[in-house]
Amino acid sequence: MSREEISIKAIDCILYNRRLWRESVELLEAQTSASVVAIPLLRAPGDPVGSVAVARATITQVLDVVDKAIRSLPREHRRIAKLKWERSMTHNEIADAINYSLSTVERRVAIIRKSVRAHLAAMDEEILTEFWGEIEGILRGY
């Protein structure tokens, strides 16, 4: 996925699923009996340990950037992010819960998405492309 393709849907997908994906990436294991996992410089074809290490590193790197984007926001924006993407509240529910107007909530959600997009856009495009490939693999169960 190129920087220009970082859509609202892609951003929302990451924000809604980032906690689950972080848990899932920790459960990734190679189908091998090796007890030590070394992160290789290159992923060799047929190397399950290297493949898992690279997958974990790729996914974690993107999720870390998204978390950094959220942490860089003002407290009230972080609060709205938590209500929207962690508690899955609608904009109306958020507005009611924190006594903001609907338009204020919508404006702040747009700011949050813009911040996340900017942080992702600063990443190497290859990492983003690999990230989505790894996520698709997790969703398909490898």
Side-chain angles (χ1 to χ4, degrees):
M1 170 178 287
S2 71
R3 290 180 180 106
E4 295 78 32
E5 296 173 340
I6 303 173
S7 67
I8 288 174
K9 285 184 180 183
I11 292 166
D12 280 350
C13 182
I14 295 170
L15 289 170
Y16 277 120
N17 293 292
R18 75 186 209 275
R19 300 249 187 255
L20 175 64
W21 290 345
R22 196 172 287 281
E23 291 171 11
S24 295
V25 82
E26 290 178 15
L27 298 175
L28 287 177
E29 291 184 26
Q31 300 301 314
T32 180
S33 61
S35 60
V36 177
V37 176
I39 297 178
L41 294 175
L42 297 173
R43 181 184 345 199
D47 175 13
V49 174
S51 293
V52 169
V54 171
R56 289 179 71 151
T58 299
I59 293 169
T60 300
Q61 185 176 0
V62 172
L63 296 178
D64 288 349
V65 166
V66 171
D67 288 346
K68 181 180 177 183
I70 297 296
R71 282 192 313 271
S72 73
L73 295 166
R75 189 173 63 85
E76 284 304 308
H77 289 70
R78 291 192 311 266
R79 182 176 178 199
I80 290 171
K82 183 174 186 168
L83 294 174
K84 177 164 180 58
W85 289 289
E86 290 181 31
R87 295 195 183 160
S88 298
M89 293 175 71
T90 66
H91 293 185
N92 283 326
E93 290 170 335
I94 295 167
D96 289 343
I98 59 177
N99 295 316
Y100 283 175
S101 70
L102 180 58
S103 62
T104 298
V105 170
E106 290 172 346
R107 208 171 32 255
R108 290 188 179 182
V109 165
I111 291 168
I112 295 164
R113 286 178 177 140
K114 185 176 180 180
S115 175
V116 171
R117 177 183 283 134
H119 278 77
L120 290 172
M123 296 185 73
D124 185 314
E125 284 186 35
E126 187 175 328
I127 297 282
L128 292 174
T129 300
E130 289 178 20
F131 169 79
W132 287 110
E134 297 298 344
I135 293 301
E136 286 178 27
I138 288 174
L139 295 176
R140 280 185 268 145
Y142 278 102

